[in-house]
Amino acid sequence: MPWALKRYQDSGHWHFLTFSCYRRKPKFGDQSSRSVFEESLERVRQDYGMFIFGYVVMPEHVHLLASEPEFSDLAHAVQSLKQSVARRLALRAGEPFWQARYYDFNVFSQRKFVEKLRYIHRNPVVRGLVEKPDDWRWSSFRHYLTGDPGIVEIESHWTFQEREATGVFQRLHLR
């Protein structure tokens, strides 16, 4: 690990993560590749016991707002996610699918949580891909707007209400 890169995991904080495609190439330039990412994210969410609060799949990078995994550490969950996507989209490619590292910012307050979630949802608009956040399908924004479950289960007031109605409650385990 590089000297200047410090990760603060097992902190009980939420994490704002960013990881990029190799040399920032638009490897998520089409709908099917973005959907593959969403399917892999949902599998990793289930396998590692994570809560996903927000995400966006951009053409050349991804942002996540997530909890620390219950069944492993964050680095292994991210590694599993990146490997799953690369296996499905670039099995025989001549170059790597992902940049080697990822950016991890510990979200330590509700204010920062809202700031990062807004950043995630506004990213396609700021980049000029769409006019409104709800026009970008590969994001958690529509879930927050309408409660649409989508491919990736998002931890929100909508999912809490659904669990409350069925009598099923999950816990976010903070260490």
Side-chain angles (χ1 to χ4, degrees):
M1 186 180 307
W3 291 98
L5 186 60
K6 293 188 192 239
R7 302 217 189 275
Y8 297 98
Q9 298 180 6
D10 295 327
S11 63
H13 293 151
W14 302 301
H15 293 265
F16 171 73
L17 305 169
T18 302
F19 34 100
S20 299
C21 296
Y22 185 67
R23 295 188 175 164
R24 302 278 297 181
K25 291 184 179 178
K27 297 186 179 209
F28 292 118
D30 59 62
Q31 296 180 10
S32 64
S33 61
R34 292 188 289 263
S35 294
V36 164
F37 179 85
E38 288 179 314
E39 292 164 8
S40 294
L41 177 58
E42 176 57 17
R43 183 195 56 80
V44 166
R45 184 198 67 76
Q46 291 177 23
D47 290 352
Y48 285 83
M50 295 174 69
F51 290 92
I52 305 298
F53 300 98
Y55 75 95
V56 66
V57 185
M58 300 294 287
E60 71 292 322
H61 70 282
V62 173
H63 295 297
L64 297 176
L65 185 56
S67 70
E68 293 175 347
E70 185 175 354
F71 305 121
S72 186
D73 61 32
L74 190 59
H76 283 101
V78 170
Q79 178 184 26
S80 179
L81 175 59
K82 290 170 79 173
Q83 285 177 344
S84 172
V85 171
R87 281 188 192 118
R88 290 184 63 191
L89 296 178
L91 186 59
R92 291 181 176 79
E95 66 182 17
F97 188 88
W98 297 105
Q99 286 293 117
R101 297 183 187 95
Y102 65 94
Y103 173 77
D104 178 7
F105 177 86
N106 287 60
V107 178
F108 48 85
S109 70
Q110 188 66 28
R111 189 181 119 267
K112 278 290 179 191
F113 180 92
V114 171
E115 173 187 309
K116 296 302 183 187
L117 190 59
R118 284 182 177 159
Y119 178 85
I120 286 170
H121 290 154
R122 291 177 180 163
N123 205 230
V125 176
V126 170
R127 290 279 308 280
L129 299 172
V130 291
E131 289 187 25
K132 303 179 311 239
D134 53 321
D135 292 338
W136 190 252
R137 201 175 102 205
W138 304 275
S139 156
S140 54
F141 184 82
R142 284 185 179 180
H143 172 78
Y144 281 95
L145 186 65
T146 66
D148 174 30
I151 294 172
V152 179
E153 182 178 292
I154 303 301
E155 194 61 25
S156 71
H157 70 282
W158 294 103
T159 49
F160 177 79
Q161 287 174 349
E162 185 177 315
R163 285 191 204 112
E164 189 176 48
T166 61
V168 175
F169 295 96
Q170 288 184 300
R171 290 189 147 178
L172 176 59
H173 298 284
L174 300 178
R175 298 174 191 167

